[in-house]
Amino acid sequence: MRPALLLLPLLLAMPVAGALLEPLTAATVQPGVAHEYAYGADPLQQLDFYPAKGRAGPAPLIVFIHGGGWKRGDKDNATGASKIEHFTGKGYAFVSVDYRLVPGARVEDQAADVASALAWVVGQARQLGIDPARIVLMGHSAGAHLAALVSTDPQWLRAAGLGFDAIRGTVLLDGAAYDVPAQLSDGPRVMQGTYRQAFGGDPARQKALSPYWQAAAPNVGAFLVLHVDREDGTRQSEALAAALRKAGSRVELDALEGRGLMGHMAINRQLGETSYPGTAIVDRWVDALLR
């Protein structure tokens, strides 16, 4: 048998870019249970889809981008708290996205992955049972930076065949690298190696990857910017909110209790818990935006 024929079964078994890893039908959908799909050929270009509970008709969707300093973390980071159960219980579908990580990939590749994941979801909207006109992009920490970058610099969505109208609104959970040069100048010393690894030493590249420096219009039309009691996170969130408002986006900026790293982790882990103050803020904003 020729070598090409020997390889055929292996090739057929490999996931194809944008392929379904499992068929999604009315018989297989389980509300609140993850359905895993590939939106690209790399093993990290995958996402988990959680159908909405108790909703008739296409569901609005929340797309979540995990944190991890651009070099760690995965789509399971969204499941460490009750946010998935909370939002699917409210009738929203939920997607948690994996993306390629530094140093094996660049931040530019990560922004492209976020846009590609969005494009894949929009392309599969009918099969997934979601409303492609009602999508909120949400990110935590480094994921907040990526969500903000994709929501301010049009090149990422454009390359994936989308425009800013594909995102109804963007929720940023305690990001702190919206202005990369400023963060490298006056951010916490303990994080400087992480920022240098992700963004390098070229000031032009640092600005190109900074949502603050990309916030001139056009942008996504609505933002909810949340931060906890961290000096750099507060400073960066306030500066980004001001830049977005100046460019014409509707921006709500809210401060949550919680200091330092503990507060930074709590905003991700506790979002969705009824006792966590951020849950009510996000619910009110998302409900008003997607109603």
Side-chain angles (χ1 to χ4, degrees):
M1 185 177 295
R2 281 185 266 178
L5 295 179
L6 287 171
L7 288 173
L8 184 58
L10 294 175
L11 292 171
L12 291 174
M14 293 174 64
V16 178
L20 301 181
L21 295 189
E22 59 166 288
L24 186 66
T25 67
T28 61
V29 169
Q30 299 180 53
V33 175
H35 300 262
E36 187 175 54
Y37 303 106
Y39 65 87
D42 190 277
L44 286 176
Q45 291 175 316
Q46 297 186 9
L47 58 84
D48 286 340
F49 171 73
Y50 297 81
K53 298 178 182 178
R55 175 180 285 271
L61 174 69
I62 294 173
V63 176
F64 185 83
I65 313 301
H66 71 78
W70 302 272
K71 60 185 176 181
R72 64 174 69 91
D74 58 43
K75 54 188 170 59
D76 290 341
N77 285 24
T79 64
S82 57
K83 67 170 68 68
I84 293 172
E85 182 177 355
H86 174 75
F87 287 116
T88 57
K90 286 173 59 67
Y92 298 114
F94 193 96
V95 161
S96 185
V97 178
D98 264 349
Y99 51 88
R100 290 169 289 172
L101 300 173
V102 171
R106 305 169 304 153
V107 174
E108 291 90 338
D109 301 319
Q110 296 174 336
D113 283 354
V114 171
S116 294
L118 278 167
W120 185 88
V121 169
V122 169
Q124 299 287 337
R126 183 174 180 181
Q127 185 176 2
L128 296 173
I130 61 103
D131 182 352
R134 292 189 292 166
I135 295 177
V136 163
L137 184 61
M138 180 185 295
H140 170 248
S141 192
H145 163 268
L146 292 172
L149 185 60
V150 169
S151 299
T152 53
D153 186 344
Q155 68 168 306
W156 308 112
L157 289 173
R158 186 186 304 125
L162 300 176
F164 283 137
D165 58 350
I167 303 172
R168 180 73 68 88
T170 301
V171 178
L172 306 178
L173 304 176
D174 206 45
Y178 303 132
D179 182 346
V180 175
Q183 194 71 346
L184 283 164
S185 173
D186 54 25
R189 178 172 295 183
V190 70
M191 289 295 294
Q192 294 302 303
T194 294
Y195 296 134
R196 288 288 178 188
Q197 182 185 42
F199 299 104
D202 179 4
R205 178 173 180 247
Q206 293 168 4
K207 284 189 174 183
L209 294 174
S210 297
Y212 171 82
W213 290 101
Q214 302 302 319
N219 300 303
V220 167
F223 290 81
L224 174 61
V225 183
L226 299 179
H227 66 87
V228 300
D229 188 9
R230 293 193 303 148
E231 183 179 350
D232 60 320
T234 300
R235 183 172 58 247
Q236 292 250 330
S237 295
E238 290 174 347
L240 177 63
L244 290 168
R245 286 174 180 145
K246 183 178 180 181
S249 292
R250 304 186 312 277
V251 183
E252 179 177 334
L253 174 69
D254 290 295
L256 294 172
E257 294 182 0
R259 292 185 61 81
L261 180 61
M262 294 300 293
H264 179 69
M265 300 305 294
I267 199 172
N268 180 49
R269 292 175 178 169
Q270 293 182 248
L271 183 66
E273 296 178 7
T274 56
S275 60
Y276 183 65
T279 301
I281 294 172
V282 173
D283 279 353
R284 172 180 49 77
W285 189 86
V286 172
D287 290 348
L289 190 71
L290 298 184
R291 65 186 174 198

